[in-house]
Amino acid sequence: MIEGVRARIPKDYRKRRNYHALTRGWVVNVGVRTEDLSRRAPVKGLNFGFYVKESFKPKFMGRKIVHSAMDLGAIFTPIALNIGKTIYKNNTAKRKKVNVVRREPSQAEGKHSGPFRGLSFKRDREEVVNFFNQAIIARGESASFNANCSARGLAKVAAMMAGHGSFQGKEYLSESAWQALHAHAEQKSLGGTVTTHFTQGGLNLFTMIGSKKNAIDRSLNKGRGGFYGWMGLGGSIFQWNTEHNIGFAFVPTSMHMMDLYNERGKVYQEEALHCVKSIRQRERGGQAACDKTVINIVGK
Amino acid sequence: MKDLFRSEMRTKAEENAQLCIYYQGQLVVDLWASKSNDTDFTADSLVNVFSSGKSLETLAIASLVDRGLLNYNDQIADHWPEFAGNGKGSITVADLMRHEAGLVSLKYTSIQKTCSKRISNKIVWAV
């Protein structure tokens, strides 16, 4: 499909940053196959998910992180759709945010709807979710939109990235490759709406520095300043903060189409930053506003 | 954090959720919950994370860079000659990873011919 792209790519494509929702993953998949998998002996089911696991050592992952065709028997959790429900249903303090996200669906159905064009939220939403709940889709090789992961697996990788490619004393990515991945964060509007700072390696640096002071930019960036990475439609977050050495993952099964900037999970990022800053302040002799035990919780 | 997680599970329209945080390489938060007491949902359940997978793509490319097989300034066509067709020859790896390769919409691809319009629309809509 990518090879068949017609010469309709804008001549000034480098000046524009428009979200490659699907295509980036497909091209990366070919790159991995071309530069790595083709050098191996043929193995049935060898794919992108296998490559990620293999490259970062299955032993390191410990638990399953990426569902791939190698795990045909693995069970994944169906997602559910909550577009009809109010996101902040009992939280009056958050009402203002509801107004912000509520504008989005109407825009999405308008003539400037971009990828939403031609679809009705009311008519197609259940069908769309069921489409992604099919096992055959979960086994696909579209890393840009159907990696099946747990928060534990993602957070462990995020911790490794927050630690400059090393995790608990072992190096998984060299410092030079890590630096290259995080280098040259360039500020540019994504699709003309929201300010992003993507590095040459494809990570977004979330920051209000250089961002517009409007509601959309605040929704995306404020409260997760200093985090690198990206997030998924419906609510998931897979990011890391290199300054404070935080690896973070939030994985919900309930998709909120109106939570376009993943603010449900952002509250935990804000809290983590608050706690870490308080710990560091206390270590420097200041008064801590947050007890360390608050974040030192493990378990259900 | 646990109190916050519990509160968010109550006040927002969540069904199941996992939250995991490392600080300085140590696991400090490992929470999960199911509002409907779904016993099949655990901390290790696999869930479609949609575009969060894009950061896994960056790791895959970074590992190729690490091994000297690829550079961000390389043209994609250097590694995939067929990609160069129809004016895409100068697109670099960095262009692609920054979402600046012009491959923004499936209207530029032949997916509409490959898949039914309805299926392809579903994919685009959901990402």
Side-chain angles (χ1 to χ4, degrees):
Chain A
M1 282 188 280
I2 298 294
E3 288 172 11
V5 170
R6 298 293 175 193
R8 294 170 63 189
I9 294 173
K11 289 181 180 176
D12 59 344
Y13 62 84
R14 280 201 181 97
K15 293 181 182 174
R16 303 181 189 179
R17 179 172 294 166
N18 283 307
Y19 196 46
H20 291 33
L22 313 177
T23 52
R24 199 180 85 164
W26 290 335
V27 177
V28 168
N29 200 359
V30 173
V32 168
R33 284 181 176 278
T34 304
E35 292 302 338
D36 183 270
L37 300 185
S38 63
R39 298 163 196 254
R40 301 169 187 259
V43 177
K44 188 179 179 184
L46 204 57
N47 68 358
F48 178 84
F50 172 86
Y51 178 76
V52 173
K53 283 198 283 195
E54 178 83 350
S55 299
F56 294 94
K57 311 288 191 303
K59 193 175 178 182
F60 160 65
M61 295 301 181
R63 303 172 191 278
K64 285 178 183 172
I65 169 178
V66 180
H67 184 62
S68 74
M70 298 295 286
D71 304 316
L72 293 178
I75 303 298
F76 67 97
T77 305
I79 52 176
L81 189 69
N82 263 333
I83 192 169
K85 297 182 182 177
T86 305
I87 296 172
Y88 304 103
K89 56 184 180 184
N90 294 322
N91 194 340
T92 52
K94 304 280 188 182
R95 282 283 162 80
K96 194 174 177 183
K97 289 183 179 177
V98 174
N99 293 332
V100 173
V101 296
R102 272 184 178 164
R103 283 207 304 269
E104 303 297 344
S106 58
Q107 290 175 350
E109 292 185 29
K111 63 180 181 180
H112 302 298
S113 59
F116 299 92
R117 190 176 296 121
L119 276 164
S120 162
F121 276 75
K122 291 178 182 174
R123 189 188 69 214
D124 295 330
R125 58 193 189 198
E126 294 299 336
E127 195 178 352
V128 168
V129 170
N130 289 336
F131 175 79
F132 282 95
N133 282 334
Q134 297 175 83
I136 193 170
I137 300 302
R139 288 202 298 267
E141 294 187 35
S142 294
S144 275
F145 68 88
N146 77 342
N148 283 265
C149 311
S150 68
R152 277 183 174 174
L154 291 176
K156 194 177 280 189
V157 177
M160 179 267 287
M161 297 305 289
H164 287 232
S166 294
F167 180 74
Q168 296 181 347
K170 191 171 179 181
E171 183 182 87
Y172 296 93
L173 192 66
S174 71
E175 177 67 23
S176 61
W178 186 94
Q179 290 289 352
L181 171 60
H182 291 75
H184 307 301
E186 288 184 4
Q187 175 192 333
K188 203 173 282 185
S189 174
L190 183 67
T193 56
V194 62
T195 307
T196 55
H197 301 76
F198 274 95
T199 70
Q200 64 176 359
L203 301 171
N204 186 52
L205 168 60
F206 294 88
T207 175
M208 283 303 291
I209 299 171
S211 297
K212 293 174 229 160
K213 303 293 186 287
N214 59 30
I216 291 178
D217 271 15
R218 282 198 299 272
S219 292
L220 181 71
N221 293 300
K222 194 175 181 183
R224 52 168 72 108
F227 277 88
Y228 285 89
W230 196 236
M231 52 202 181
L233 182 82
S236 69
I237 298 173
F238 170 39
Q239 295 171 16
W240 51 92
N241 184 303
T242 58
E243 180 187 355
H244 298 299
N245 201 343
I246 301 170
F248 182 94
F250 174 65
V251 176
T253 63
S254 179
M255 298 177 62
H256 290 287
M257 296 296 192
M258 289 185 287
D259 188 14
L260 286 184
Y261 305 108
N262 297 39
E263 294 183 83
R264 290 145 63 211
K266 192 172 79 171
V267 298
Y268 305 118
Q269 292 178 286
E270 285 183 280
E271 183 67 10
L273 284 172
H274 171 68
C275 290
V276 168
K277 286 174 182 173
S278 296
I279 291 167
R280 294 196 169 177
Q281 188 181 7
R282 186 169 61 183
E283 287 171 348
R284 286 195 300 267
Q287 186 66 35
C290 174
D291 194 285
K292 187 174 182 178
T293 56
V294 174
I295 65 165
N296 200 17
I297 296 170
V298 178
K300 190 170 184 177
Chain B
M1 191 68 82
K2 192 171 186 176
D3 290 343
L4 179 62
F5 186 72
R6 186 178 286 132
S7 168
E8 295 289 290
M9 285 298 295
R10 270 200 307 265
T11 58
K12 294 181 182 172
E14 300 288 4
E15 296 293 335
N16 308 302
Q18 303 164 336
L19 174 67
C20 192
I21 305 175
Y22 281 78
Y23 175 55
Q24 296 185 336
Q26 300 300 315
L27 180 67
V28 292
V29 175
D30 186 16
L31 299 168
W32 68 100
S34 173
K35 187 180 276 184
S36 57
N37 291 322
D38 179 358
T39 53
D40 290 333
F41 187 78
T42 71
D44 296 315
S45 294
L46 299 171
V47 181
N48 190 345
V49 294
F50 289 91
S51 288
S52 287
K54 286 184 170 68
S55 295
L56 293 170
E57 293 166 11
T58 71
L59 264 69
I61 293 296
S63 76
L64 293 177
V65 172
D66 200 6
R67 294 159 59 196
L69 299 173
L70 194 81
N71 286 306
Y72 291 114
N73 291 327
D74 288 353
Q75 294 176 348
I76 294 171
D78 292 343
H79 304 272
W80 179 14
E82 296 85 353
F83 179 83
N86 297 318
K88 300 193 297 300
S90 60
I91 294 174
T92 67
V93 175
D95 291 335
L96 174 75
M97 301 311 284
R98 282 201 180 99
H99 302 272
E100 294 172 12
L103 299 168
V104 57
S105 169
L106 290 184
K107 72 181 178 182
Y108 298 120
T109 76
S110 58
I111 190 173
Q112 299 281 7
K113 296 175 185 173
T114 308
C115 310
S116 73
K117 186 176 180 181
R118 192 162 179 78
I119 293 295
S120 61
N121 275 344
K122 282 179 191 173
I123 297 173
V124 179
W125 184 76
V127 179

